[in-house]
Amino acid sequence: MKIFTNEAIKKIDRETIANEGITELELMERAASAVTYEIMSRWRTNKRIIIFAGPGNNGGDALAVARMLYEQGYHPEVFLFNIRSSHLSECCAANRERLLEMADIDFTEIIDNFNPPELGPNDVVIDGLFGSGLHSPLRGGYTSLVQYINNSEAFIVAIDMPSGLFCEWNEGIDRRNIIRADLTLTFGAKKLSFFFSENAECIGECVVLDIDLSPTAIAATPADFYLIEKEDVREKLQPLDPFINKYDNGTLYLVAGSYGMMGAAILAARGALRIGAGLVTVHGPATANTIMQTACPEALFESDSSDICTTNINIKRRYSVVALGPGMGTNDETIDAVDHFLKNYRKPCLLDADALNCIAARPMLLRSIPKGSIITPHSGEFDRLFQNSNERNITDEARLKRAINVSRNHNITVVLKGHYTMTVRPDGKVYINSSGNPGMATAGSGDVLTGIISGLISQGYSPDSSVWMGVFIHGHAGDLAATKQGEQSLIASDIVDNIGPAIVDIKLK
């Protein structure tokens, strides 16, 4: 699913109006009707509902919602802000006139001074102040109003966007001046800013409302951001050739594990095998041979000259894909081995976990990462690699912006792991994952992901597709595991055990 910018959404709105021969006001009626239905499904007519409407089209939505609620037996209290410096949009003005035709409607138009209504924890506030039509941060009296609403303890419903929050980038915005909604009813699709953790407290629960925007316009409008869903992965998964052999399914060379951390190597190897890799060879410390052969007998094992860590990465055969990192450790000999590997191996590879931490210890190695490679850092690993030492509390938004630059400048794919794992490609395209759950924030989960992505590449899927497909399958396996174990009790092995069921479920229509 495409995630559009605010400007692209406006374009789609205009084309929907033109293609269907409707007016802007009629499209607003669709949106208001969807919002009204959602409110009616949650609260009865005796619920106190206070609606704050701004002078633009978001305010027009709010006024239309007020009218529809009134027609259904509700008694909303409506406040329209039409202060002297404002100018009502045509649709807002039209909905104002329609609302005034209602007998006994509780309507107040704010032109000068405003005495706010008393709000309490039993009330519902509907925020229709600015939505996605905002062009600059809130200022003046609106900031006081937003803070008053936020401090009221009322249940806050935002129409389309919490007022004060922009659809894409919000760096430097004073978050005290953004509505903190408990429920956001957005139109068409989630906005990019909804996927950043720092905005979660402003969005609350998010419900996407379908207002029948033109499918033709949506298909024709380009986007740089995409939300990956089950259907996207289903379309890419290929059936197995009945005459295939293990070599056709590809070979993976996995450098992983060290003394005390062989579990990471086992999880990555099992993840690759479960996703369908034909042959997995694990390179690790010599003393780990028995551990690997016992815990993962399906994988081959290649011993390092060291008993406790990796000290040499000399690839003697041709492999479909090479992956480094899970549980390798970061002692000096391992860093030297990674250094030597990156300066001599020129094919794309996958770098995860301690491979990235080894690079962070010698930042100049960033320049040696082969073009077309994939790195899969969580936020801490990413920040160690790319954050300036004087930066504090970096946001998800800032991290994504930096990842886009890193991906383009180094010609590598960056997988930013998190609640919404984001795959950033050198061409600027970003794929946001929709699967997964908080229970997957557990030791070894990322190692499983390394195995899944590597295993898909080994089978001939393109590296670009393998990453976002792998991320979704990993998350979906975690979701299936959570239905059995619960999020609290989820461990990485549960994810591995549910890779097969996840693929079966994805293939079902």
Side-chain angles (χ1 to χ4, degrees):
M1 176 187 291
K2 295 178 181 177
I3 300 172
F4 294 110
T5 64
N6 191 36
E7 289 305 311
I9 292 170
K10 291 179 180 177
K11 178 176 179 288
I12 293 169
D13 285 349
R14 292 193 297 270
E15 292 188 12
T16 298
I17 291 168
N19 292 345
E20 297 187 16
I22 61 174
T23 65
E24 185 178 14
L25 195 59
E26 288 170 327
L27 183 60
M28 184 174 286
E29 286 289 291
R30 285 187 197 175
S33 179
V35 171
T36 302
Y37 180 83
E38 189 66 31
I39 293 171
M40 290 174 59
S41 70
R42 292 171 182 254
W43 294 286
R44 296 183 178 180
T45 56
N46 61 353
K47 191 69 173 177
R48 184 180 182 226
I49 298 177
I50 304 93
I51 298 177
F52 295 100
N57 279 357
N58 193 244
D61 290 331
L63 295 180
V65 168
R67 168 171 42 84
M68 292 177 185
L69 287 174
Y70 183 81
E71 290 171 341
Q72 296 300 319
Y74 291 79
H75 302 281
E77 301 168 33
V78 187
F79 296 87
L80 171 62
F81 288 83
N82 186 16
I83 57 178
R84 289 176 180 174
S85 59
S86 299
H87 176 71
L88 297 184
S89 70
E90 289 186 13
C91 288
C92 185
N95 272 306
R96 173 184 175 276
E97 296 308 310
R98 288 181 176 182
L99 191 63
L100 289 175
E101 294 173 0
M102 314 297 291
D104 301 322
I105 189 74
D106 190 344
F107 175 80
T108 303
E109 188 166 358
I110 312 303
I111 297 176
D112 292 307
N113 297 323
F114 173 52
N115 294 317
E118 186 174 336
L119 302 175
N122 295 321
D123 301 329
V124 173
V125 168
I126 297 179
D127 164 35
L129 290 171
F130 290 101
S132 60
L134 196 66
H135 298 291
S136 60
L138 293 182
R139 54 176 61 92
Y142 286 116
T143 62
S144 299
L145 175 60
V146 165
Q147 292 173 25
Y148 175 76
I149 294 172
N150 286 341
N151 292 330
S152 69
E153 297 185 346
F155 189 96
I156 304 171
V157 180
I159 297 178
D160 198 27
M161 292 282 297
S163 292
L165 186 71
F166 293 105
C167 289
E168 292 88 44
W169 313 115
N170 290 273
E171 195 168 8
I173 300 296
D174 188 340
R175 295 185 179 277
R176 294 175 301 175
N177 300 330
I178 301 174
I179 284 288
R180 291 199 297 271
D182 297 287
L183 171 65
T184 297
L185 304 177
T186 197
F187 303 133
K190 291 182 178 180
K191 280 57 173 180
L192 178 62
S193 60
F194 290 14
F195 297 98
F196 301 137
S197 64
E198 60 269 18
N199 298 331
E201 67 173 1
C202 300
I203 296 158
E205 178 191 357
C206 181
V207 175
V208 177
L209 303 178
D210 183 3
I211 58 172
D212 293 324
L213 294 173
S214 167
T216 302
I218 290 172
T221 303
D224 288 329
F225 301 92
Y226 301 83
L227 182 66
I228 298 302
E229 298 177 299
K230 184 187 293 188
E231 293 75 15
D232 302 304
V233 181
R234 182 188 300 132
E235 290 176 2
K236 281 287 185 179
L237 284 173
Q238 298 297 316
L240 295 179
D241 185 334
F243 295 98
I244 204 167
N245 63 55
K246 62 186 176 185
Y247 296 104
D248 294 325
N249 271 339
T251 55
L252 164 62
Y253 187 80
L254 176 65
V255 184
S258 58
Y259 183 80
M261 292 194 291
M262 285 310 300
I266 293 165
L267 290 166
R270 291 186 64 213
L273 290 162
R274 281 294 186 192
I275 201 67
L279 195 63
V280 175
T281 300
V282 178
H283 177 96
T287 52
N289 180 51
T290 302
I291 297 172
M292 281 299 306
Q293 294 298 295
T294 302
C296 190
E298 299 88 353
L300 301 177
F301 185 76
E302 178 185 278
S303 296
D304 193 271
S305 57
S306 168
D307 286 341
I308 62 171
C309 66
T310 292
T311 61
N312 57 81
I313 307 172
N314 298 315
I315 301 175
K316 302 169 186 175
R317 299 181 180 85
R318 179 178 295 179
Y319 292 90
S320 305
V321 61
V322 173
L324 282 70
M328 282 176 58
T330 56
N331 62 47
D332 290 342
E333 290 178 297
T334 301
I335 294 173
D336 288 341
V338 172
D339 188 312
H340 181 269
F341 170 80
L342 290 178
K343 289 177 178 175
N344 290 276
Y345 189 80
R346 302 321 310 151
K347 297 179 181 178
C349 58
L350 189 150
L351 303 170
D352 178 41
D354 281 334
L356 300 177
N357 292 328
C358 288
I359 295 171
R362 296 182 186 175
M364 291 297 290
L365 285 176
L366 283 170
R367 300 180 181 179
S368 299
I369 297 176
K371 306 298 183 186
S373 292
I374 300 163
I375 66 172
T376 58
H378 58 57
S379 58
E381 291 161 348
F382 183 85
D383 293 347
R384 280 192 288 275
L385 280 167
F386 304 111
Q387 182 180 354
N388 295 329
S389 59
N390 61 345
E391 289 180 305
R392 296 291 183 272
N393 301 320
I394 186 170
T395 62
D396 282 354
E397 175 186 318
R399 198 172 282 119
L400 175 60
K401 286 181 176 179
R402 187 162 298 167
I404 292 171
N405 289 330
V406 166
S407 179
R408 181 179 62 250
N409 294 338
H410 293 276
N411 194 17
I412 59 176
T413 296
V414 180
V415 182
L416 280 174
K417 294 186 289 193
H419 177 59
Y420 292 110
T421 294
M422 299 187 179
T423 299
V424 184
R425 295 193 338 194
D427 61 1
K429 303 294 184 185
V430 178
Y431 297 87
I432 302 174
N433 188 49
S434 64
S435 64
N437 62 82
M440 298 177 69
T442 186
S445 178
D447 304 319
V448 178
L449 177 61
T450 292
I452 291 175
I453 295 173
S454 302
L456 287 169
I457 296 173
S458 75
Q459 294 172 73
Y461 290 98
S462 71
D464 284 342
S465 298
S466 295
V467 176
W468 58 258
M469 288 173 65
V471 169
F472 184 90
I473 294 169
H474 177 256
H476 195 51
D479 288 337
L480 293 181
T483 65
K484 304 168 189 175
Q485 303 290 345
E487 293 181 359
Q488 193 77 26
S489 300
L490 193 66
I491 60 174
S493 296
D494 298 328
I495 302 173
V496 175
D497 293 341
N498 281 277
I499 292 172
I503 295 172
V504 171
D505 184 68
I506 289 168
K507 288 182 176 179
L508 293 174
K509 292 188 178 180

